[in-house]
């Protein structure tokens, strides 16, 4: 959930950290509308990959098509999750390739050479190329409660909306298990075999990892965890109240550093911005650092104040997927890594 280092949506649609940027697009899907949250109206049709297709997204919008979508275009992270369930997309938008041409961390296990990249960065979306794909549906996540589709540019949202209906999966102010379930339902509707061992084993692994984290947090309640992200100018401390991963970890008992609401106001409620001189404002035993390519990675941080932090000196810094790929296969290791870190952490704060 980021742009320009670690920009995140607030309830007012503001993006902070790296400059204020316009909202992504709110794309209105074809078909009827239902204001109730969640729920897929079709599973059997998707399995058969024929006949009509219906899916109700997290905006309460029901998309109805004459057949199961074949030409799918999705935000990179969503495409990566669908890939894990055996559903292939035709085009992607969002962080897909790094500067050296390799797959971005948000692309997961996708072969990025086999998808059409419509835009690799914020505010990039090639509408003309999108049209040539003859898209059946566009799928993205949403980081606000207004139904704004992530990485769909504000300037071209109307043109994009005219070419195909859209599906939005909310990752705003809810626990990780909610969007995981929604993407599971979406993949199933698109024809994925959710009884396949790969899918069921990954879900079981996630559930076991969650129980392990619960036990670790209960056994080590004094271990304090801080979620951070680094830019050249600032260090960002994330609060837990809006992020799907942190909300879930907190519900499992993890003891997080929690910036006060007033301190998070400039970050739209998502995070507090600190100068590098004040990076030691909060005491933490473990630091989870944003692993996205938009953020500076721990090994590349040169600030002396960072290197003096007790958790850094103790080697208790682990990666955090601030925009987790919403498949059980990709989320299970995130839970396991945090559980292991808490189990083995030394009290240094």
């Amino acid at each position: 959930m980021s742009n320009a280092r670690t920009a995140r949506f607030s309830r007012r649609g503001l993006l902070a950290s790296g400059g204020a940027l316009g909202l992504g697009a709110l794309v209105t899907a074809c078909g009827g509308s239902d204001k109730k949250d969640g729920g897929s109206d079709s599973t059997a049709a998707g399995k058969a990959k024929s006949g009509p297709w219906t899916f109700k997204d997290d905006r309460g919008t029901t998309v109805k098509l004459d057949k199961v979508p074949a030409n799918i275009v999705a935000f990179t992270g969503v495409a990566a999750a669908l890939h894990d369930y055996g559903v292939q997309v035709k085009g992607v938008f969002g962080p897909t390739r790094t500067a050296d041409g390799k797959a971005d961390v948000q692309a997961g296990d996708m072969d990025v050479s086999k998808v059409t990249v419509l835009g690799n960065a914020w505010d990039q979306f090639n509408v003309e190329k999108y049209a040539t794909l003859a898209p059946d549906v566009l799928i993205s996540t949403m980081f606000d409660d207004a139904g704004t589709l992530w990485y769909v540019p504000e300037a071209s949202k109307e043109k994009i909306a005219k070419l195909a209906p859209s599906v939005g999966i909310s990752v705003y102010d809810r626990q990780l298990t909610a969007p995981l379930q929604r993407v599971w339902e979406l993949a199933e509707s698109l024809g994925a075999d959710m009884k396949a061992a790969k899918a069921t084993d990954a879900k079981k692994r996630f559930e076991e990892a969650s129980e392990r984290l619960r036990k670790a947090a209960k056994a080590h309640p004094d271990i304090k965890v801080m979620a951070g992200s680094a830019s050249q100018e600032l260090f960002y401390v994330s609060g837990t109240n809006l992020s799907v991963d942190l909300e879930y970890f907190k519900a499992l008992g993890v003891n997080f550093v929690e910036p006060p609401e007033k301190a998070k106001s400039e970050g739209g409620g998502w995070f507090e911005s600190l100068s590098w001189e004040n990076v030691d404002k909060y005491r933490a035993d473990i630091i989870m650092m944003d692993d996205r390519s938009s953020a500076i990675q721990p090994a590349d941080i040169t600030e002396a104040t960072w290197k003096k932090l007790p958790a850094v000196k103790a080697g208790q810094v682990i990666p955090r997927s601030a925009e987790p790929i919403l498949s059980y296969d990709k989320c299970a290791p995130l839970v396991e890594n945090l559980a292991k870190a808490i189990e083995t952490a030394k009290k240094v704060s």
Side-chain angles (χ1 to χ4, degrees):
M1 172 187 43
S2 169
N3 170 63
R5 311 297 186 197
T6 183
R8 296 177 172 96
F9 274 124
S10 74
R11 291 182 185 273
R12 296 183 179 86
L14 296 176
L15 275 131
S17 166
L21 299 170
L23 283 174
L26 168 59
V27 182
T28 304
C30 296
S33 178
D34 187 335
K35 295 303 180 182
K36 294 181 181 178
D37 264 343
S40 170
D41 294 321
S42 172
T43 55
K47 289 177 181 177
K49 289 199 173 184
S50 63
W53 182 80
T54 302
F55 190 85
K56 186 167 68 176
D57 74 1
D58 289 340
R59 297 169 298 185
T61 299
T62 299
V63 180
K64 297 179 180 180
L65 298 175
D66 293 337
K67 60 180 181 179
V68 176
N71 296 341
I72 302 169
V73 173
F75 172 67
T76 302
V78 174
L82 292 175
H83 174 84
D84 286 345
Y85 292 126
V87 177
Q88 307 305 319
V89 305
K90 198 167 185 179
V92 297
F93 55 96
T96 306
R97 298 192 183 107
T98 57
D100 59 4
K102 295 180 180 179
D104 188 276
V105 65
Q106 290 185 254
D109 294 332
M110 280 195 303
D111 183 343
V112 297
S113 69
K114 294 183 178 180
V115 293
T116 299
V117 181
L118 303 175
N120 199 64
W122 182 259
D123 227 20
Q124 291 181 1
F125 193 112
N126 190 319
V127 181
E128 290 72 22
K129 188 181 289 187
Y130 177 55
T132 66
L133 296 178
D136 294 320
V137 67
L138 179 147
I139 309 170
S140 190
T141 48
M142 303 181 296
F143 282 90
D144 63 13
D145 55 4
T148 307
L149 295 175
W150 194 231
Y151 268 78
V152 174
E154 176 72 14
S156 54
K157 66 177 184 180
E158 293 182 2
K159 292 180 180 179
I160 293 168
K162 291 178 181 178
L163 294 171
S166 63
V167 167
I169 301 297
S170 180
V171 287
Y172 176 75
D173 197 15
R174 61 197 59 201
Q175 293 181 27
L176 181 59
T177 44
L180 274 172
Q181 178 61 28
R182 295 297 286 130
V183 172
W184 176 285
E185 293 168 359
L186 177 62
E188 185 175 36
S189 79
L190 292 170
D193 180 3
M194 310 315 285
K195 293 182 180 179
K198 182 179 179 181
T200 57
D201 288 352
K203 189 172 184 179
K204 181 180 179 182
R205 179 183 172 187
F206 176 84
E207 292 167 349
E208 291 174 345
S210 297
E211 184 57 29
R212 177 183 173 184
L213 179 56
R214 187 192 305 276
K215 291 178 179 178
K218 185 176 181 180
H220 305 279
D222 58 329
I223 296 298
K224 199 81 170 176
V225 180
M226 179 168 68
S229 186
S231 74
Q232 197 69 42
E233 302 82 14
L234 297 168
F235 182 82
Y236 309 96
V237 180
S238 293
T240 61
N241 293 334
L242 300 178
S243 300
V244 290
D245 61 328
L246 301 184
E247 281 202 13
Y248 183 57
F249 300 154
K250 181 174 64 175
L252 292 175
V254 176
N255 183 9
F256 278 102
V257 167
E258 191 71 63
E261 291 301 317
K262 185 176 181 180
K264 294 186 293 182
S265 60
E266 290 187 5
W270 292 93
F271 57 85
E272 177 182 2
S273 304
L274 298 176
S275 66
W276 283 104
E277 290 77 13
N278 295 315
V279 73
D280 60 353
K281 178 178 179 179
Y282 298 107
R283 296 179 178 274
D285 303 293
I286 297 170
I287 302 177
M288 302 174 67
M289 288 296 289
D290 189 344
D291 71 354
R292 292 169 297 179
S293 54
S294 57
I296 297 177
Q297 297 307 299
D300 299 319
I301 299 175
T302 59
E303 300 290 340
T305 49
W306 163 260
K307 295 180 179 180
K308 291 179 181 178
L309 293 177
V312 176
K313 292 171 69 176
Q316 295 177 175
V317 178
I318 64 173
R320 174 203 171 205
S321 294
E323 288 184 63
I325 293 172
L326 297 169
S327 70
Y328 289 104
D329 181 74
K330 294 299 180 291
C331 286
L334 306 182
V335 185
E336 291 169 345
N337 291 344
L338 180 55
K340 181 180 178 180
I342 292 174
E343 289 166 351
T344 60
K346 296 178 182 179
K347 182 67 180 175
V348 295
S349 64

